[in-house]
């Protein structure tokens, strides 16, 4: 699933480790989300979107779905 | 704008980040060693096995700072590691099932009754259906 996590994170000057600590997940998990190898659960997706102050649909884009 | 992270972060951290795998490995090693001693079969392989259990416990205790070892040691702290753990468990379970079926067939072909493979497979099948029914009513 495409997402804007890397852009939003770098815009705020956060490292993957800092974001991972805030989300209570590993740095590898943040990296996997950013490289679209892992699709986060709905609670984590919502928490990420809230953290960046964006609607979840602006952060995550479901391919092929309207 | 950054917002506060809600709900159970604190709880999850403290419940799941204990050195559970190290404790489990240590306990298993001691139980194995004690059982061997009680059975009167204590020999050098018992000490080697105990050493392996202790080494396994030490790796997960002292290596917890490493993301991969930490993830393997306490996967519930991270949803991606939970997924990895479940898929790895399913793969390992599939391998065990194939080994059981192979052993069962070999036992039957040797003119035996398939014991203990048939009992283990029966227990596994029952456990699967009980778990599936339980999870079906819970979700």
């Amino acid at each position: 699933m495409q997402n804007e996590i890397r852009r939003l994170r770098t815009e705020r000057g956060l490292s993957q480790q800092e974001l991972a600590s805030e989300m209570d997940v590993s740095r590898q998990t943040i990296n996997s989300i950013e490289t679209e190898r892992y699709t986060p659960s709905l609670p984590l997706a919502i928490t990420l979107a809230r953290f960046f102050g964006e609607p979840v649909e602006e952060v995550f884009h479901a391919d092929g779905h309207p | 704008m950054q917002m506060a992270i809600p709900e159970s972060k604190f709880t999850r951290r403290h419940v799941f980040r204990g050195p559970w795998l190290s404790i489990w490995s240590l306990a298993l090693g001691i139980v194995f060693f004690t059982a061997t001693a009680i059975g009167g079969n204590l020999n050098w392989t018992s000490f080697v096995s105990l050493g392996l259990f202790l080494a396994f416990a030490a790796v997960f205790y002292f290596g917890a700072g490493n993301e991969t070892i930490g993830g393997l040691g306490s996967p519930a702290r991270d949803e991606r590691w939970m997924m990895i753990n479940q898929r790895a468990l399913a793969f390992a379970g599939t391998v065990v099932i194939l080994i059981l079926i192979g052993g069962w067939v070999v036992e039957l072909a040797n003119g035996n009754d398939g014991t203990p493979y048939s009992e283990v497979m029966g227990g596994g099948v029952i456990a699967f259906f009980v778990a599936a029914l339980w999870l079906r009513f819970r979700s």
Side-chain angles (χ1 to χ4, degrees), chain A:
Chain A
M1 178 180 279
Q2 292 181 338
N3 64 74
E4 305 295 325
I5 298 297
R6 187 186 294 273
R7 179 180 63 77
L8 292 166
R9 177 179 62 76
T10 52
E11 277 177 3
R12 285 156 180 78
L14 290 168
S15 67
Q16 287 185 339
Q17 184 60 61
E18 288 167 336
L19 182 58
S21 297
E22 286 298 324
M23 295 297 116
D24 200 21
V25 296
S26 70
R27 187 197 60 78
Q28 292 168 327
T29 295
I30 296 298
N31 185 55
S32 293
I33 294 170
E34 287 186 356
T35 53
E36 298 165 14
R37 284 182 289 120
Y38 174 65
T39 301
S41 68
L42 191 55
L44 179 56
I46 290 171
T47 308
L48 278 163
R50 282 183 181 166
F51 179 78
F52 290 118
E54 300 276 349
V56 72
E57 64 269 27
E58 297 295 327
V59 179
F60 295 94
H61 315 290
D63 295 331
H65 296 281

Side-chain angles (χ1 to χ4, degrees), chain B residues 12 14 19 21 27 35 47 51-52 55-56 58 64 72 76 80-81 84-85 99 102 115 121 126-127 131 136:
Chain B
R12 282 190 291 125
H14 286 262
L21 197 62
F47 289 95
L52 288 173
F56 194 72
L72 285 168
R80 178 171 150 271
W81 271 106
I84 291 169
N85 189 49
I99 290 170
T115 306
M121 285 194 294
I126 292 168
R136 177 254 176 271

Side-chain angles (χ1 to χ4, degrees), chain B residues 39-55:
Chain B
N41 294 320
L42 212 56
N43 54 35
W44 69 273
T45 54
S46 310
F47 289 95
V48 170
S49 300
L50 180 63
L52 288 173
F53 277 111
L54 294 178

Side-chain angles (χ1 to χ4, degrees), chain A residues 24 26-27 29 38 41, chain B residues 1-3 17 67 78-79:
Chain A
D24 200 21
S26 70
R27 187 197 60 78
T29 295
Y38 174 65
S41 68
Chain B
M1 183 182 71
Q2 294 183 6
M3 297 177 69
R17 288 196 178 173
E67 284 177 316
D78 183 303
E79 63 173 45

